[in-house]
Amino acid sequence: MFPTNDVLFKKIFGADGNENITKDLVSCILQKKIKKLEFKNPDLLREDAKDKNEVLDVRAELENETLCDIEVQVINYHDIDKRILDYWAKMYRTSIHKGDKNYLKMKKTIIILISAFEVDNLEEIKEYQTRYKIIEEKHKKILTDVFEVDIIELPKAKKEIEKGTFKGFGHLEEWIKFFIKPYEGGDSKMEDMPEEVKKAYEELKKLNSNEAEREIAERRYMDLMSLEYAKDYERKEGIKERQEGTVC
């Protein structure tokens, strides 16, 4: 099983004791040294009875009380742009207590998305990493620093690695290889790896050798595949119905 499986991803990057692994990954993606990272409850609690309780992949707090959600997405449901904005909004709102109107207390909130597919509407962008902020269209002035979304598209990164043109902060290339081809090269490739990346490989190896953990991860993978099949069928049926209903 691959570390992009969200069950394994949470076990590696969201487990107590693995803070240094996650801190290293976040440092490479945000392109700055992260000195502090503390895991938080990944649940985004319901605001009212009609809301559903959502669980983030990895929720953490960085230095300066910055909130950070790290998501991995394997299947393209064609809604990831809207979903990550929803996650950001809920995390940002919960950065102060319910009923507190002192908006100066609200914390900077960052969403990191690691995508196993090319994101819709970003096909024309060649770079594998993009960063989004709230910016004024004409003057290019950033309205506030509390909003940030960082997206890593693994297929684009893979192409850069294969061409030998990959550029990234720190040892981001090693992290990308961890996600896209963790079993290539065997144990010998780990000798010269950065310490935290090496620890992530060791965690993945332990999880894959644990029958119970592997079964959970495989079941999750099969559930996602079934859901993707159902959604794909619905899309095709919808197209078919529209075509049949077209008056020539």
Side-chain angles (χ1 to χ4, degrees):
M1 301 300 293
F2 280 68
T4 46
N5 178 296
D6 57 357
V7 172
L8 298 184
F9 185 85
K10 292 176 184 181
K11 292 284 186 180
I12 297 170
F13 294 99
D16 289 335
N18 287 356
E19 288 87 352
N20 285 341
I21 295 176
T22 310
K23 184 166 61 175
D24 191 82
L25 173 66
V26 172
S27 293
C28 290
I29 293 174
L30 297 185
Q31 302 171 14
K32 61 180 180 180
K33 187 68 176 177
I34 302 297
K35 298 178 181 177
K36 171 195 168 189
L37 184 143
E38 179 183 348
F39 293 132
K40 296 293 182 181
N41 185 343
D43 292 351
L44 286 179
L45 301 179
R46 295 183 299 176
E47 295 184 352
D48 58 54
K50 295 181 181 179
D51 284 347
K52 66 175 182 178
N53 203 34
E54 293 175 302
V55 182
L56 304 177
D57 284 346
V58 178
R59 186 182 185 184
E61 184 171 313
L62 314 179
E63 59 251 38
N64 302 321
E65 298 186 317
T66 297
L67 301 179
C68 184
D69 167 35
I70 312 161
E71 295 289 316
V72 62
Q73 190 71 28
V74 176
I75 296 175
N76 187 2
Y77 296 122
H78 308 285
D79 65 353
I80 193 62
D81 53 343
K82 298 172 179 61
R83 190 184 306 181
I84 58 178
L85 289 179
D86 181 51
Y87 290 166
W88 178 89
K90 288 179 179 177
M91 280 185 66
Y92 184 61
R93 283 202 300 273
T94 58
S95 66
I96 59 174
H97 296 295
K98 192 173 182 179
D100 191 343
K101 297 299 182 182
N102 186 350
Y103 297 114
L104 292 175
K105 293 181 181 178
M106 298 185 85
K107 300 174 182 178
K108 179 175 181 177
T109 302
I110 300 172
I111 303 291
I112 293 175
L113 170 66
I114 300 171
S115 173
F117 51 86
E118 293 193 15
V119 176
D120 295 349
N121 301 324
L122 300 184
E123 294 94 342
E124 73 280 4
I125 297 178
K126 301 297 184 183
E127 291 82 6
Y128 69 89
Q129 180 171 9
T130 47
R131 175 169 296 160
Y132 302 87
K133 295 178 179 288
I134 300 176
I135 189 168
E136 199 281 326
E137 186 174 1
K138 180 180 179 181
H139 301 285
K140 310 303 179 187
K141 172 69 176 177
I142 295 176
L143 177 65
T144 174
D145 70 345
V146 300
F147 176 89
E148 182 175 322
V149 172
D150 288 78
I151 298 178
I152 299 285
E153 295 175 89
L154 294 178
K156 292 179 180 178
K158 182 181 179 182
K159 290 176 185 175
E160 295 300 314
I161 291 173
E162 290 173 348
K163 290 190 297 184
T165 57
F166 186 94
K167 294 180 181 179
F169 183 86
H171 41 267
L172 182 57
E173 182 174 351
E174 298 301 331
W175 281 119
I176 298 295
K177 289 178 180 177
F178 173 72
F179 289 115
I180 62 176
K181 46 184 180 181
Y183 305 107
E184 187 175 284
D187 292 341
S188 60
K189 70 177 180 180
M190 294 174 59
E191 294 178 4
D192 299 324
M193 279 188 181
E195 191 62 32
E196 304 310 329
V197 182
K198 189 183 297 184
K199 288 180 182 177
Y201 274 98
E202 292 168 354
E203 287 293 315
L204 178 63
K205 189 175 180 179
K206 282 194 295 184
L207 288 167
N208 268 290
S209 63
N210 184 310
E211 187 175 345
E213 296 285 5
R214 185 180 176 84
E215 184 178 340
I216 294 171
E218 288 177 341
R219 193 183 309 129
R220 172 61 173 164
Y221 176 76
M222 295 306 297
D223 288 345
L224 286 173
M225 290 300 101
S226 298
L227 182 59
E228 169 63 5
Y229 176 82
K231 285 183 174 290
D232 187 53
Y233 177 79
E234 289 173 3
R235 284 195 295 269
K236 289 178 180 177
E237 285 299 300
I239 292 171
K240 182 180 177 182
E241 288 177 6
R242 288 195 297 273
Q243 289 174 341
E244 291 176 348
T246 301
V247 178
C248 298

